[in-house]
């Protein structure tokens, strides 16, 4: 059946229908306001008049009957939908909800769904009306109420109904249509306020809705199940086998079996897609039979794609291919069936040449992910010619963009030259909107797969020639870094750039590269009379007046380098520097350079000049700044290139060792005059201390430490964080988690920074913090969601960083650390990471200063065995006073100087603040140097405080000590004897000031 | 699905449905931006585009554009058919639907959409079942009031 909209679009048809339905006045108004836009003013005037009329009706003395109320509320809605603001009528709409007439109720609900944005006062009234309708047992009213909840979905509604709706959903006597609405209503509430929808007995029954006889119920319920499964996979894992058998029944059914759920000869396309989507929340089924059945389904779907279409309608092929693409997503998600992956790839290959633009677009997009699978990478590569052709001939820029992404994703050493050449030639005509990204991609590929460096230099110079305006600083900095670090390419680079500069009009970026390279390596080509020193200089200087100030500054530095390289140019260059246009330049930077360089060249001896203007030392090895830039720009096509990055880079810049030396060289070359002279200060990040992939995070954690802990560590908290509050908590290939925390009294605030190290976005990114066991009653946390966007977006873009704040309140002392669980999808695969949050009891220390007499008096008072914890331990490193002091201060206590008569000892004092009690602690650390000579007897390493735990009146209190004395506090001394004595002050309002010590 | 917009070739918004809460100001901004982007595209171009961090799926029927914003993991083709099924439902209900039907019977357009999609997900894909629900509601309406005419006729 052809929909009316598909008919020829013209006014006469509209007229015809109009006469059929509507009065002449409406027609006139409509035509005027919509088609001609002539009387916008008239329309506004008319509407204002109408609004005034409605307002007066609502405010009038006479109570309006339901019918009139409905009429005016409906008018307000109409006016709103015409694009005008409505600021009244809400109350009247709410009144309509309690009408027992269906149409009045319906209009009331519609108004609220369209116009109410959780206005808290009204919501209570609305909730009351909804409550009545939900309990009315009238399915039509129930559905209206459920639709309203699903449309508004506010937190207040979740608070009111999150308990009730699951009951309606699984009750045996609920009508199918109500079940459908209830399922999706619950989904909306769960998405908006997951904390309010509590799992319970209903969850297992929801899973069984997958078996429901009514296809509509399954279609609705599965969306809910998919969302719940992605958040709580374990609780819902029984859905896998149910989903597989349902899918299998649909896939194998004849096109007429499912009656009205068959859409253009495709059985239940929406449900099939949702089933395949649900399965993507899980790894491949472990049960062999289930897996076999699923593989069979996937094969059938792939087979059907090859069958002749049952209809020529685009709806048929769209529905069929929707299932196919979803099946391919699942195959890619599993990434374990080489056979299916290759078949998927071949199928997509066919689509690459399909006449439907939509299919070509999707095939290119889907192949991008296939390219990153080791099983299908080669198969994807076979389509290179088609993809290149798409890049050249597609008329739609968004399709060309996909083609460029795919070329980038399928690039490897074998085809890099071809792909880079094609991308370069595409750049000449590429849309402005994608040029910068293309430039970055070309630059990255050229560097990554450069086998010979002359090719690399040629490519980048071509890039500057073709798309100079789009070549960002990162790109030309990078080519210079590489040329400087590779002496085998320097001569070639000088020659090539010299030739490129011969062009009458060349891009300023070319001048920059030219100036820099000739200034460093111009001597390598000076032997040829065609590029003698003076020729080189004249060539550079011919561009000078066309350039911007920063480029001129760079050129001036190149000139002074020339004076060092080629003494014969000295006179000429000095003359240039001396000219008014330089030495009196209105720009302070240029003037200063001219003055200084002139002076330097006149007074410095050749030796001094040679030292000051020495060749640049190699740049320290680091991640390509271009890659970082691309990550920032986001590139969905950057997938595979990313992961190999580490191993590829080393080769290019001459290996990490060399990088290390370079770093030393750079830092040793005292004030490093040359780097400053060349005006690359703005390029500091280029040569800066390798921030690596986590560069985004580096500024936040200046003391990030050289060795971030590899993964979740064993004991209470990662040892690194006992004595410090900031640093890198976790890092792997994909994700870096930085932490910054601050504590005051018994409160703490922790900032977690999740940095996506890849260029691909993380999907369904969620984090949860849990307090295992009795910890729950000991720490109170409220955890606002990720704060970078509101509402929480479960996406973390490539290269992006999101921040989360966790508030912590220490109720009483504790041993275990809270757990942080992070889940997200990276390229389809579910990542699940659990870490211990570095919250230890000592974070709540408040340092206390006290005098010697005071200290020892208190020390003696705390003489009960259960008030003391001792530990003697040996550490691997030598004793360094400063390190020890730093550790003790990091612990949070006050380090008391001149208190202990023995200057070798350290004493500290502090009060641990918890909500219900305070624990005063005195700590004494006695380094024992002799023990180094004579190893102490075996029990040295035992925890002498064990007896303490047994006898403690309050076992929680005792636990303070182990965490204080824990060996992770102080690990770098040879032999230490730590004694901690403590007392507890219970905060009791009735006994203020009285302190009680156990 | 995050939202669905129906707008005319002139850029006039005819129906809007938001499945993810947005401030009014943001809604207007999104609408303006998206209407502009979609209207600028040529007829033979593909129906999908990347927009912010969402995927936009759109299709034109006569003078009206139907435009859905979906999330990264959502299926573009099935969304295209969601649009088509909605058009079919409108067509069947109004009998050769046109833009004016949606303007003047906007409440019906919303009711039909709510029966078909809820919370951004397909609730009932059977044409028969959706229309049955709407017809039942219409029957209720007929029986309870003597003013059988469409409420819209009273407007303005």
């Amino acid at each position: 059946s052809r929909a009316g909209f598909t008919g020829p679009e013209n006014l006469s048809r509209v007229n015809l229908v109009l006469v059929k339905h509507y009065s002449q006045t409406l027609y006139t108004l409509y035509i005027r306001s919509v088609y001609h836009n002539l009387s916008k003013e008239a329309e506004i005037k008319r509407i204002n008049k109408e609004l005034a009329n409605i307002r007066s009706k609502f405010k009038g003395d006479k109570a309006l009957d339901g019918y009139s109320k409905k009429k005016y509320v409906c008018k307000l809605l109409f006016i709103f939908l015409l694009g005008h603001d409505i600021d009244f009528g809400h109350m009247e709409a709410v009144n309509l909800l309690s009408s027992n007439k269906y149409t009045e109720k319906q209009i009331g609900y519609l108004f609220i769904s369209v116009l109410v944005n959780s206005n808290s006062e009204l919501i209570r009234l609305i909730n009351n009306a909804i409550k009545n309708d939900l309990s009315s047992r009238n399915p039509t009213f129930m559905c209206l109420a459920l639709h309203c909840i699903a449309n508004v979905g506010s937190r207040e509604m979740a608070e009111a109904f999150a308990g009730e709706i699951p009951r309606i959903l699984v009750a045996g006597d609920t009508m199918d249509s109500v079940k459908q609405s209830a399922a999706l209503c619950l989904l909306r509430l769960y998405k908006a306020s997951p904390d309010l929808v509590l799992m319970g007995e209903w969850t297992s029954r929801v899973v069984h809705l997958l078996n429901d006889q009514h296809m509509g119920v399954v279609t609705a319920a599965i969306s809910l199940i998919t969302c719940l499964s992605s958040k709580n996979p374990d609780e819902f894992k029984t859905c896998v086998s149910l989903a597989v058998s349902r899918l299998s029944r649909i896939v194998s059914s004849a096109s007429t079996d499912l009656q009205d759920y068959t859409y253009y000869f495709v059985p239940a396309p929406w449900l099939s897609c949702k089933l395949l989507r649900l399965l993507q929340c899980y790894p491949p089924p472990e049960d062999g039979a289930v897996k076999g059945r699923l593989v069979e389904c996937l094969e059938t779907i792939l087979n059907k794609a090859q069958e002749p279409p049952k209809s020529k309608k685009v709806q048929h092929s769209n529905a069929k291919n929707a299932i196919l693409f979803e099946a391919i997503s699942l195959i890619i998600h599993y990434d374990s069936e080489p056979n299916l992956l290759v078949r998927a790839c071949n199928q997509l290959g066919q689509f690459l040449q399909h006449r439907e633009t939509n299919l070509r677009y999707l095939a290119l997009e889907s192949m991008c992910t296939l390219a990153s699978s080791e099983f299908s990478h080669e198969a994807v590569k076979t389509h290179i010619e088609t993809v290149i052709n798409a890049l050249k001939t597609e008329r739609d820029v968004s399709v060309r963009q996909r083609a460029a992404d795919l070329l980038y994703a399928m690039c490897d050493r074998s085809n890099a030259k071809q792909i880079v050449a094609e991308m370069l030639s595409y750049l000449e005509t590429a849309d402005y909107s994608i040029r910068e990204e293309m430039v970055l991609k070309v630059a990255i590929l050229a560097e990554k797969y450069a086998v010979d460096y002359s090719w690399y230099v040629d490519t980048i110079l071509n890039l500057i020639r073709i798309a100079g305006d789009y070549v960002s600083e990162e790109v030309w900095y990078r080519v210079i870094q590489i040329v400087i670090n590779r002496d085998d390419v320097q001569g070639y680079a000088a020659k090539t750039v010299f030739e490129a500069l011969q062009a009458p009009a060349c891009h300023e970026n070319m001048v920059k590269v030219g100036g820099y390279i000739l200034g460093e390596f111009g001597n390598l080509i000076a032997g040829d009379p065609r590029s003698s020193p003076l020729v080189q200089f004249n060539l550079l200087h011919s561009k000078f007046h066309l350039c911007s100030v920063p480029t001129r500054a760079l050129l001036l530095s190149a000139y002074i380098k020339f004076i060092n390289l080629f003494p014969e140019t000295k006179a000429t260059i000095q003359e240039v520097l001396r000219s008014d246009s330089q030495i009196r330049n209105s720009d302070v930077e240029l003037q200063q350079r001219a003055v200084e360089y002139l002076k330097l060249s006149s007074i410095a001896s050749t030796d001094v000049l040679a030292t000051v203007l020495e060749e640049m030392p190699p740049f320290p090895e680091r991640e390509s700044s271009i890659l970082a830039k691309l990550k920032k720009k986001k590139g969905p096509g950057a997938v595979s290139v990313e992961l190999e990055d580490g191993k590829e880079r080393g080769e290019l810049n001459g290996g990490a060792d060399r990088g290390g030396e370079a770093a030393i060289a750079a830092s040793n070359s005292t004030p490093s005059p040359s780097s400053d002279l060349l005006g690359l200060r703005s390029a500091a990040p280029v040569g800066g201390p390798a921030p690596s992939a986590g560069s985004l995070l580096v500024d936040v954690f200046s003391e990030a430490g050289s060795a971030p802990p590899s993964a979740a560590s064993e004991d209470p908290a990662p040892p690194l964080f006992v004595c410090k509050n900031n640093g890198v908590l976790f890092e792997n290939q994909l994700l870096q988690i930085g932490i910054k925390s601050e504590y005051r009294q018994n409160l703490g605030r922790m900032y977690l920074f999740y940095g996506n190290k890849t260029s691909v976005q993380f999907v369904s990114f969620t984090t949860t913090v849990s307090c295992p066991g009795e910890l729950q009653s000991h720490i109170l946390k409220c955890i606002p969601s990720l704060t970078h966007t509101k509402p929480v977006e479960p996406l973390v873009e490539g290269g992006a960083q999101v921040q989360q704040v966790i508030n912590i309140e220490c109720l009483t002392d504790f041993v275990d650390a809270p757990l942080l669980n992070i889940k997200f999808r990276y390229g389809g695969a579910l990542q699940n990471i659990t870490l211990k949050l570095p919250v230890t009891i000592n974070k709540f220390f408040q340092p206390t200063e006290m005098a010697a007499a005071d200290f020892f008096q208190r020390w003696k008072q705390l003489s009960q065995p259960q008030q003391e914890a001792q530990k003697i331990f040996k550490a691997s490193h030598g004793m360094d006073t400063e390190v020890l002091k730093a550790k003790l201060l990091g612990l949070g206590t006050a380090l008391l100087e001149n208190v202990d008569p023995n200057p070798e000892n350290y004493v500290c004092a502090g009060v641990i603040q918890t909500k219900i009690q305070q624990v005063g602690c005195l700590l004494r650390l006695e380094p024992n140097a002799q023990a180094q000579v004579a190893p102490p007897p075996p029990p040295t390493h035992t925890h002498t405080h064990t007896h303490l735990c047994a006898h403690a009146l309050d076992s929680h209190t005792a636990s303070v000590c182990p965490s204080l004395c824990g060996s992770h506090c102080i690990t770098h001394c040879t032999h230490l004897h730590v004694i901690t004595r403590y007392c507890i002050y219970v905060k009791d309002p009735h006994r203020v000031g009285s302190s009680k010590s156990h | 699905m995050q939202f669905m917009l129906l707008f005319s070739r002139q850029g006039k918004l005819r129906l809007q449905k938001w499945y993810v809460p947005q401030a009014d100001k943001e809604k207007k901004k999104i609408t303006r931006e998206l209407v502009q982007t979609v209207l600028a595209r040529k007829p033979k171009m593909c129906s999908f585009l990347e927009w912010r961090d969402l995927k936009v799926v759109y299709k034109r029927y006569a003078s009206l554009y139907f435009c859905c914003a979906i999330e990264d993991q959502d299926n573009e083709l099935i969304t295209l058919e969601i649009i088509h099924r909605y058009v079919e439902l409108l067509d069947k209900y109004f009998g050769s639907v046109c833009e004016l039907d949606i303007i003047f019977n906007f409440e019906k357009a919303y009711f039909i959409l709510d029966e078909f999609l809820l919370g951004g997900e397909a609730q009932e894909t059977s044409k028969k079942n959706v229309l049955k629900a709407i017809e039942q509601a219409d029957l209720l309406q007929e029986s309870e009031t003597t003013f059988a005419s469409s409420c819209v006729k009273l407007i303005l």
Side-chain angles (χ1 to χ4, degrees), chain A residues 973-995:
Chain A
C973 16
T974 42
H975 264 91
L976 296 167
H977 184 187
V978 185
I979 311 162
T980 319
R981 296 188 176 186
Y982 56 93
C983 65
I984 297 168
Y985 309 91
V986 176
K987 282 183 190 165
D988 183 341
H990 304 296
R991 286 163 45 183
V992 181
S994 75
S995 67

Side-chain angles (χ1 to χ4, degrees), chain A residues 4-5 18 30 85 102-103 106 180-181 223 260-261 263-264 274 277 315 318 322 326 358 396 793, chain B residues 28 41 46-47 53 61-62 73 75 81 88 91 100 103 111 121-124 126 128-129 141 144:
Chain A
F5 280 125
L18 206 75
Y30 173 75
D85 290 331
Y102 177 73
T103 46
Q106 200 185 21
Q180 284 166 277
S181 299
S223 296
D260 211 32
Y261 289 92
Y263 178 83
Y264 291 87
K274 286 185 181 192
R277 172 92 201 88
Q315 283 75 29
N318 276 352
E326 206 59 63
N358 288 344
D396 185 347
E793 289 209 37
Chain B
K28 283 189 180 159
R41 291 178 62 84
C46 88
S47 313
D53 54 352
Y61 287 90
Q73 71 273 18
N75 188 313
E81 293 319 298
E88 283 184 353
D91 200 57
L100 280 185
I103 296 170
F111 297 149
E121 298 283 340
Q123 174 177 218
E124 177 55 83
S126 151
K128 250 186 238 160
N129 290 352
Q141 179 175 341
E144 79 189 21

